[in-house]
Amino acid sequence: MAEKLNANVADFIKAPLQHYIGGKWMPSGDGAVDQVINPSDGKVICQVGMASAHEVDAAVNAAHEAFPAWAGTPANQRSVLLHRLADSIEKHAGDLAQLESLDVGKAIVNSEAFDIPFGVEGIRYFADLAVHTHYDIPLAVKHMEARTHRVPYGACGFIFPWNFPYDLLVWGIMPALAAGNTVVIKPSEVTPLSTLFVCKLAAEAGFPAGVINVINGTGSKAGAMLTSHPLIKRMSFTGSPPVGKLIGETCGRNLVPCKLELGGKGAAVIFDDVDVHATAQQLAAAITLNTGQVCCTATRWIIHEKIHDQLLSEAAAILKATRIGPALDRNTQMGPLVSKAQQERVNRYIENGRKQGAAVVLEPQSPRIAGHEGGYYVSPSLLAGSSDNVCCREEIFGPSAFALKFSDEDAAIRQVNSLSYGLANSVWSRDLKRANRVAERLIAGNSWINAHNVFAYGLPYGGTNLSGMGGGVNSPETFHDYLRSQTIARPLG
């Protein structure tokens, strides 16, 4: 049974949610609103204002005007405010977990155990990094007193997707803020709740007006206007490769540095010396995490022919036992997909895969949950067959994996590298020398060994090829992405 909403959550979503601009909550000037839908039952959670050019311009101008004072604030003072925000989020962790699960559809136990605390850890990580970074690096140049001076860019724009709105917000804006930039955020119109609640907590923590701004709206309208705004000095987008290309083109025309974190079609290469049951458990957990709506997860299973059938049989049994239900039910292991459109997308991919000859190892279902019949539920599925199948080659973004056989190490590597994505892969073997050798040859920003979906602060994460460009997240590299280098030199003698 789904738990009751906390009083703070119920109060927050009671009235139409607005844009957060220049330290104030502002409605849309033209009165435009849209509905935020609960994916667990298909019902309306609340209404949210939708931005026009007026709100986008106001938000960017607010960030631009707030930048000099924020950039001039000592790093340790910015760090203090970030730690205060982390303290406040910890205090309201239960509220944020409910909002994230209510909005996205992810199981509440996962939001509580991972999403919210991992985000808090991220805020503290970048707050401390800002204090310990050297902003002046001496240069050894003959007859010169010279140094590289690192300074923030200015107003930075961020467009985030709907699958991890809270954690992606932290991974994106916190290094930028810690480095002295101001930010304008466009969350997904599907999942704006946790972002807006964080703004409320940031205001209470004492962040100056204009340092953090949020505009709600669609990508085609609000996102496009934010990307092309002449006062944006750096842009970051997380989402699909097709949209990332459009944003990259716009930023290129404006000569604005652009950071793109895009999709993937991650592969797991599984050798015949693994513990089959333990590996099946981990791979099953990877594709049910956030109902498979994870860009880096393992959706191609390239399995040694000696254990192919056994591993699929064990994984199918584990996946079939997954408890599917509404996000706020504590017995739920996997919630619904985020929207009706996403449910239709996943079902369409599976059907097209069948038509192209895929063998269905585990049949997908559309469960009907009592009291939540309008929810966007799908059950996990496993397919197998040819590498040219659409379900093997394209990102489905649901709880589904496609299995292939291999007998030769080189053939497995060629199979992994046959796609144009390059986000994350994993190698599974007791032979660590072989695992490292194979991991080095897989084309991706991340290669994991005997695990998948591995995240830690200080561990760089990013993509290559169709999976992104312009830096990663969660590491010192991320922080330095938001500082530009300025050479200062004085001739001697």
Side-chain angles (χ1 to χ4, degrees):
M1 183 176 179
E3 65 182 41
K4 183 180 178 181
L5 292 181
N6 296 343
N8 287 333
V9 173
D11 184 62
F12 183 68
I13 62 176
K14 188 185 302 179
L17 297 173
Q18 301 173 340
H19 314 282
Y20 185 70
I21 299 173
K24 297 179 181 178
W25 295 100
M26 295 177 56
S28 299
D30 59 5
V33 297
D34 199 1
Q35 295 176 333
V36 180
I37 303 299
N38 182 352
S40 292
D41 59 16
K43 296 178 181 178
V44 176
I45 299 172
C46 63
Q47 290 187 324
V48 63
M50 301 294 280
S52 66
H54 172 74
E55 286 77 45
V56 175
D57 193 55
V60 177
N61 275 286
H64 178 71
E65 291 170 6
F67 171 67
W70 182 247
T73 301
N76 65 322
Q77 292 183 28
R78 295 196 300 266
S79 177
V80 166
L81 286 175
L82 287 167
H83 275 288
R84 284 181 187 166
L85 176 57
D87 291 343
S88 185
I89 289 175
E90 280 187 320
K91 179 181 177 182
H92 291 276
D95 298 328
L96 269 165
Q98 279 197 343
L99 284 167
E100 192 79 340
S101 290
L102 180 70
D103 208 5
V104 181
K106 64 181 65 184
I108 184 70
V109 291
N110 291 335
S111 293
E112 289 177 338
F114 174 77
D115 293 63
I116 308 307
F118 196 61
V120 170
E121 185 183 350
I123 299 172
R124 297 198 191 285
Y125 174 79
F126 289 114
D128 293 341
L129 197 57
V131 174
H132 295 109
T133 291
H134 294 290
Y135 295 90
D136 286 280
I137 294 84
L139 301 173
V141 180
K142 187 177 180 180
H143 303 311
M144 290 274 185
E145 179 185 85
R147 60 193 165 99
T148 295
H149 182 57
R150 291 172 172 169
V151 294
Y153 282 86
C156 298
F158 292 86
I159 300 176
F160 295 118
W162 42 256
N163 57 335
F164 286 92
Y166 164 78
D167 275 331
L168 292 174
L169 175 78
V170 170
W171 297 355
I173 73 166
M174 297 306 167
L177 292 170
N181 300 277
T182 54
V183 301
V184 181
I185 306 153
K186 194 209 82 67
S188 168
E189 67 274 21
V190 178
T191 57
L193 301 185
S194 56
T195 298
L196 293 170
F197 196 80
V198 168
C199 283
K200 175 179 178 294
L201 299 182
E204 294 171 1
F207 275 78
V211 171
I212 302 175
N213 307 272
V214 177
I215 48 170
N216 307 299
T218 63
S220 60
K221 187 175 181 180
M225 290 186 289
L226 175 61
T227 303
S228 60
H229 198 287
L231 291 180
I232 289 294
K233 301 303 181 184
R234 209 186 195 303
M235 193 68 211
S236 176
F237 169 77
T238 307
S240 70
V243 178
K245 289 180 180 180
L246 294 174
I247 289 174
E249 289 174 7
T250 300
C251 290
R253 286 194 299 270
N254 293 339
L255 298 179
V256 170
C258 183
K259 183 184 181 81
L260 301 173
E261 297 289 340
L262 308 178
K265 189 67 178 176
V269 179
I270 306 134
F271 286 92
D272 60 342
D273 61 345
V274 299
D275 180 323
V276 174
H277 181 71
T279 304
Q281 284 184 314
Q282 291 191 68
L283 290 174
I287 68 164
T288 56
L289 175 68
N290 205 32
T291 319
Q293 299 164 129
V294 184
C295 56
C296 59
T297 205
T299 56
R300 289 184 293 159
W301 296 0
I302 300 171
I303 309 169
H304 195 280
E305 60 184 7
K306 290 183 179 179
I307 61 168
H308 177 272
D309 293 350
Q310 181 189 357
L311 190 143
L312 286 186
S313 177
E314 297 220 18
I318 294 165
L319 291 168
K320 193 171 184 179
T322 301
R323 291 193 301 271
I324 300 169
L328 296 184
D329 188 330
R330 294 192 170 278
N331 292 316
T332 292
Q333 293 177 309
M334 189 179 88
L337 292 164
V338 74
S339 66
K340 182 68 173 175
Q342 189 63 15
Q343 183 188 43
E344 292 173 350
R345 169 191 167 95
V346 170
N347 289 335
R348 186 167 58 249
Y349 261 110
I350 302 301
E351 183 58 30
N352 288 339
R354 287 179 192 268
K355 290 178 180 178
Q356 292 185 9
V360 180
V361 179
L362 178 62
E363 186 80 29
Q365 306 289 334
S366 295
R368 290 178 61 83
I369 310 298
H372 296 81
E373 287 82 2
Y376 312 127
Y377 299 97
V378 296
S379 66
S381 60
L382 285 177
L383 291 83
S386 170
S387 61
D388 61 1
N389 191 282
V390 66
C391 290
C392 183
R393 300 192 66 80
E394 297 184 15
E395 187 175 34
I396 298 173
F397 227 55
S400 182
F402 196 98
L404 300 164
K405 290 182 183 179
F406 81 93
S407 59
D408 174 73
E409 178 181 311
D410 289 336
I413 293 168
R414 286 195 300 272
Q415 181 59 58
V416 174
N417 294 341
S418 66
L419 301 186
S420 295
Y421 290 105
L423 188 52
N425 301 308
S426 56
V427 184
W428 303 74
S429 175
R430 296 179 193 268
D431 183 343
L432 295 184
K433 184 177 180 180
R434 174 171 63 184
N436 278 279
R437 179 177 68 242
V438 172
E440 290 174 0
R441 294 179 63 192
L442 302 183
I443 299 173
N446 310 276
S447 289
W448 298 315
I449 294 175
N450 294 330
H452 206 95
N453 296 332
V454 179
F455 296 94
Y457 293 107
L459 185 69
Y461 170 90
T464 190
N465 296 339
L466 278 186
S467 293
M469 58 173 284
V473 296
N474 295 352
S475 70
E477 294 175 9
T478 318
F479 179 75
H480 293 143
D481 277 346
Y482 293 100
L483 292 168
R484 62 175 180 82
S485 295
Q486 180 175 328
T487 298
I488 298 175
R490 180 175 69 89
L492 298 175

